[in-house]
Amino acid sequence: MKKAMIILTMILVAVSFACDSGPKEKLKVFISVDMEGIAGVISGREVSSRGNDYDYFREIMTVETNAAIVGVLAAGATEILVRDGHGAKTNILPGLLHPKAKLLRGVTDRPENMMLGIDETFDAVLFIGYHAKAGTAGGVLAHTSSGNVIDLSINGVSLPEAGYNALIAGLYDVPVVFVAGDNWICRQVKELFGEVDTVETKVGMGTAELGLHPEEVRSQIMAEVTSSLRDLSRFKPYKLLPPYTMVLKVKKERDLYPGAEKTGKGEFTFTSSDFLKVMDAFNKMK
Ligand SMILES: [Zn+2]
């Protein structure tokens, strides 16, 4: 009897040790990086591979991402995936990226798009270089995915890219804990997610901006990211209840996605309980 008790105690200790050490020793972070909200960026040619200043700003984009990575590592991260999320997704300079992060670059047909690579093994998501949704008057280079989108809403909630990307992370119960971009996107994510930390890289005045120095942006990102990740219990995954009904308003109509309905000039709806299917419809009709 006594021997059985000792064995049982040993098993319980082993199990509690395993449970205890699991989540605490692992901190896996997903960083999705866009370009319009990066320090200093104001015009379309600075974020287009055909523009003269593109190379300069893609370097700033890369080192701004590095600041987030340094912040993540300071919080004890064990694994970091960086998703290049802008345009052709080949902006971040691989050789200048912090060596502790893996880089997911290039475009696929998958509906995750800027969130490609996210899954339930991640503990937190960060957005760097993000911008406000289409129609935001003061937003720097404000748009929603393509210049063709007037508005995208899901279940009645009008969303920026940060909004639907957070919903994709929410499918895997992963919260977005930090966003860097202009003051307008920072305001929009706070309204949507409630608890989320932000760094305002610039104050947007539409076609002008008052920006922080890129070095100042980097030091703020580093400090904020570390403090966000040290207190993950504050944040909740962003979710809406299925089924998901998308209302998409566009300037130029594309081919109707199977199952979608045209509800007016340039206005379409699509409903599914599979959110990635809704994202696929959005990507095909945007
Ligand atoms: Zn974008």
Side-chain angles (χ1 to χ4, degrees), residues 4-70:
M5 283 296 284
I6 290 169
I7 290 168
L8 182 65
T9 308
M10 281 168 69
I11 290 169
L12 285 174
V13 167
V15 166
S16 75
F17 183 76
C19 292
D20 222 42
S21 60
K24 280 178 196 159
E25 283 185 3
K26 182 197 95 127
L27 178 61
K28 191 172 170 184
V29 179
F30 186 97
I31 310 177
S32 173
V33 189
D34 208 348
M35 199 164 186
E36 291 84 350
I38 294 290
V41 168
I42 184 62
S43 83
R45 61 174 197 281
E46 292 167 348
V47 298
S48 157
S49 58
R50 292 182 302 276
N52 288 339
D53 293 329
Y54 171 70
D55 282 337
Y56 174 74
F57 282 101
R58 68 195 292 214
E59 191 175 319
I60 294 198
M61 179 190 192
T62 307
V63 290
E64 200 166 306
T65 305
N66 285 347
I69 295 168
V70 171

Side-chain angles (χ1 to χ4, degrees), residues 34-36 85-86 114 131 143 145 161:
D34 208 348
M35 199 164 186
E36 291 84 350
H86 176 74
M114 302 170 79
H131 54 84
H143 66 281
S145 193
E161 292 167 17

